[in-house]
Amino acid sequence: MVLCQGGEAGAAPAAGGKELEVPLSREDAAGTGQPCLCPAPGMEAAGAEERRVCGCCSGLSWPRCCKAPGTKKKAACPGLGLFYTVLSAFLFSVASLFLKKIEDVHSVEVSAFRCVFQMAFVLPGLIYYKTGFLGPKGKRIFLFFRGFLGSSAMILLYYAFQVMPLADATVITFSSPVFTSLLAWIFLKEKYSIWDLLFTLFAITGVVLIARPPFLFGSNVTGIEGSYTDHLKGTIAAITSTVSGASTFVILRKVGKSVHYFLSIWYYAVIGLIGCVIALFVMNEWRLPYCGKDRVLLILIGLLGLGGQIFLTKALQIEKAGPVAIMKTMDVVFAFILQILFLNHLPTWWTVGGALCVVASSSGTAIRKWRQSLKKAKQNEI
């Protein structure tokens, strides 16, 4: 008896040292992953032993096959997903630093350049994976809103980076997991416990400490960039960006794995570019950067933003969402370090306190969701 592998020619060694060709068949229709065994003429007479060999694991015997029931594939490199997360956080933080260094370029125009870079790099992937440009008919409305909300979040975040300290804007946007839980409870009917409410209140407290509204902290607000009016506008933009970003996570969770992630990024880039072009003409803000340095920074922002998004997507593909969300706290760490080293702006104690509240709330939300997923996985195994 010999294994029949996927329609390719197979052979069994005979006693005389010659190899007898064996007619082959495909795996069994049940899809169990067990190899199908076909009789080889002359095998019994030759006294050859039966062999059960799997073609998917380079000749391993079937009990150790990757398709055998109960067999788990080992990770290629433990911790690789967390490394991708840290690398993604670093790339996003450096892109934000470059955004602060750009002069006389509106945040909407920066967003348009980033969308162009994303389209240029995602287009070959769409062609290679043959995903199409519109996606499944039943998912297009979700993809449209994912692109609209995602691009809006990007534009508002870039505006916040330009008018308020880098660390302050980063901390506010880091409260996204808390708002994601709240929106998932409202629209997806997911469970929302007293712990989730507590984490939401912690996040709101952190945002208030960073914004420092005059009716709570008085009119003399220190440690901000420019006027308090710009600081307040940046805070509102960062909060709106966070809610929009959380909405895209809920939409992606609704869509699930039925849509390739390249197609999701494609909608994000196309709709974002269209929206940016319309907004630039309405505001009459379109102009090429005067300085060669600004042009280089625009290109780098596009490349770093794309790289950060790719590494974050890869991290979520090979690592559980809980550890990835916890490791994303490095966004805040990198923002503080870059702000001190390259912008010469020391964060106030109010910002540090707000950062601790937001990081605690988002990390608590991530840990709780992670434990729930592990508990559910154990129950399913039982």
Side-chain angles (χ1 to χ4, degrees):
M1 304 283 284
V2 295
L3 175 70
C4 302
Q5 301 179 11
E8 296 178 355
K18 296 182 180 179
E19 293 182 348
L20 298 174
E21 292 187 358
V22 183
L24 301 173
S25 64
R26 297 188 180 275
E27 290 184 351
D28 58 292
T32 60
Q34 297 186 16
C36 75
L37 302 174
C38 303
M43 286 291 294
E44 293 81 359
E49 298 180 355
E50 280 191 359
R51 290 202 310 162
R52 302 179 78 190
V53 182
C54 172
C56 64
C57 295
S58 302
L60 289 178
S61 60
W62 178 75
R64 289 182 292 167
C65 165
C66 66
K67 293 185 179 179
T71 305
K72 295 182 179 180
K73 293 182 70 176
K74 292 184 179 180
C77 179
L80 183 61
L82 300 182
F83 172 74
Y84 283 157
T85 307
V86 175
L87 184 57
S88 170
F90 178 74
L91 294 178
F92 280 135
S93 299
V94 175
S96 304
L97 174 65
F98 289 163
L99 181 63
K100 297 285 289 184
K101 292 290 187 179
I102 288 182
E103 301 174 359
D104 299 326
V105 180
H106 199 277
S107 59
V108 178
E109 187 173 350
V110 179
S111 303
F113 273 96
R114 178 173 171 179
C115 290
V116 170
F117 274 95
Q118 286 186 331
M119 290 176 61
F121 280 88
V122 169
L123 183 59
L126 293 178
I127 297 174
Y128 177 79
Y129 288 107
K130 299 179 181 179
T131 61
F133 296 97
L134 297 178
K137 289 185 177 180
K139 306 296 181 181
R140 292 174 186 175
I141 185 65
F142 296 109
L143 288 171
F144 171 81
F145 280 108
R146 182 268 185 270
F148 175 76
L149 292 171
S151 58
S152 300
M154 175 182 60
I155 296 171
L156 292 169
L157 178 60
Y158 281 3
Y159 175 77
F161 280 140
Q162 286 187 332
V163 300
M164 66 187 304
L166 179 63
D168 291 16
T170 303
V171 169
I172 293 175
T173 57
F174 195 74
S175 60
S176 179
V178 179
F179 290 104
T180 302
S181 298
L182 180 61
L183 293 175
W185 171 59
I186 296 174
F187 295 104
L188 301 182
K189 308 303 179 183
E190 294 186 2
K191 186 177 180 181
Y192 192 81
S193 67
I194 188 66
W195 283 105
D196 295 311
L197 178 61
L198 180 63
F199 293 143
T200 302
L201 294 177
F202 257 93
I204 294 174
T205 302
V207 172
V208 170
L209 290 176
I210 293 172
R212 282 167 284 166
F215 66 89
L216 291 178
F217 294 86
S219 57
N220 187 18
V221 179
T222 59
I224 62 175
E225 291 181 1
S227 65
Y228 181 76
T229 302
D230 288 339
H231 181 80
L232 185 60
K233 289 180 180 178
T235 301
I236 295 174
I239 295 173
T240 309
S241 171
T242 301
V243 176
S244 298
S247 301
T248 63
F249 287 133
V250 174
I251 293 173
L252 290 174
R253 189 178 298 177
K254 176 71 175 179
V255 172
K257 298 181 179 179
S258 60
V259 176
H260 198 280
Y261 70 91
F262 269 171
L263 191 61
S264 175
I265 299 175
W266 173 256
Y267 266 81
Y268 174 93
V270 172
I271 296 177
L273 179 61
I274 295 173
C276 289
V277 171
I278 295 174
L280 288 171
F281 275 104
V282 171
M283 298 185 298
N284 196 24
E285 288 284 349
W286 175 262
R287 61 179 180 271
L288 289 175
Y290 299 113
C291 177
K293 181 189 73 172
D294 287 347
R295 299 177 185 180
V296 174
L297 290 178
L298 278 175
I299 295 173
L300 291 176
I301 289 172
L303 294 175
L304 291 172
L306 178 64
Q309 202 163 42
I310 289 175
F311 281 116
L312 181 59
T313 303
K314 294 293 293 182
L316 290 170
Q317 284 182 333
I318 63 178
E319 185 60 78
K320 294 183 181 296
V324 171
I326 297 171
M327 191 59 66
K328 271 189 67 62
T329 54
M330 293 302 297
D331 286 7
V332 178
V333 176
F334 286 134
F336 275 99
I337 293 175
L338 295 176
Q339 176 176 297
I340 295 172
L341 292 179
F342 298 99
L343 301 177
N344 297 321
H345 186 91
L346 291 175
T348 64
W349 288 109
W350 294 113
T351 299
V352 174
L356 291 176
C357 289
V358 172
V359 169
S361 65
S362 58
S363 299
T365 301
I367 292 173
R368 187 172 178 277
K369 296 295 182 183
W370 182 25
R371 292 183 61 183
Q372 286 178 345
S373 64
L374 293 177
K375 184 178 179 180
K376 186 179 294 185
K378 289 181 180 179
Q379 291 176 348
N380 293 335
E381 288 180 359
I382 295 174

